[in-house]
Amino acid sequence: MAGRVTFRRRNPYNTKSNKIKVVKTPGGKLVAHHLKKLTARPKCGDCGSALAGVSTLRPREYAQVSKTHKTVQRAYGGSRCANCTKERVVRAFLIEEQKIVKRVLKEKEEKEKKAAAKKSSK
Ligand SMILES: [Zn+2]
């Protein structure tokens, strides 16, 4: 029969933050090891896939590690995944290009209108 194990800390409740793992010591005694809460990997804000190159830590631990553990050196690094970043960059580029095309077409149209007006007045 499995032996009974008592908590080694003063929190007596079976809560999320009071989980233990029962371990057998070299002397054959059963002892409780208090576990830290499980951590979720940082996710991409757009597609929800886990971010590569960003370490998985508990919230307090993020304050204790350097910035290189929390980000990658790229636009949107540590916030969006590489594919979503690529999509955003391409989309922004295309929108800018479209704006330029619109402006050029408008200028061309105005020039033609002016030329037509001049011809009709003469
Ligand atoms: Zn993504």
Side-chain angles (χ1 to χ4, degrees):
M1 202 185 106
R4 285 172 68 89
V5 172
T6 54
F7 290 125
R8 300 166 86 178
R9 296 179 187 164
R10 299 220 34 197
N11 177 0
Y13 304 108
N14 185 27
T15 58
K16 219 176 185 179
S17 62
N18 200 29
K19 293 294 177 197
I20 58 165
K21 181 185 175 194
V22 178
V23 169
K24 193 176 246 179
T25 62
K29 273 200 287 183
L30 289 179
V31 156
H33 277 187
H34 287 261
L35 302 175
K36 285 182 175 173
K37 284 206 240 176
L38 289 178
T39 65
R41 285 188 70 181
K43 302 278 179 359
C44 169
D46 288 348
C47 67
S49 63
L51 290 176
V54 180
S55 49
T56 308
L57 302 171
R58 293 299 303 163
R60 184 70 177 87
E61 291 174 317
Y62 279 110
Q64 296 162 340
V65 296
S66 62
K67 196 169 187 179
T68 53
H69 291 89
K70 300 177 259 188
T71 183
V72 290
Q73 296 305 307
R74 187 204 306 134
Y76 297 109
S79 166
R80 302 291 186 269
C81 74
N83 285 334
C84 292
T85 303
K86 186 177 158 190
E87 225 165 74
R88 276 172 179 245
V89 170
V90 168
R91 184 176 298 155
F93 171 76
L94 289 177
I95 287 171
E96 288 301 314
E97 285 294 300
Q98 209 172 23
K99 276 183 200 166
I100 291 170
V101 167
K102 261 185 197 169
R103 203 175 60 206
V104 167
L105 282 178
K106 202 176 172 190
E107 277 173 11
K108 205 176 170 186
E109 208 170 84
E110 270 174 25
K111 236 183 205 175
E112 277 176 13
K113 250 186 199 172
K114 260 188 189 173
K118 263 188 185 173
K119 261 190 186 174
S120 63
S121 66
K122 274 183 185 174

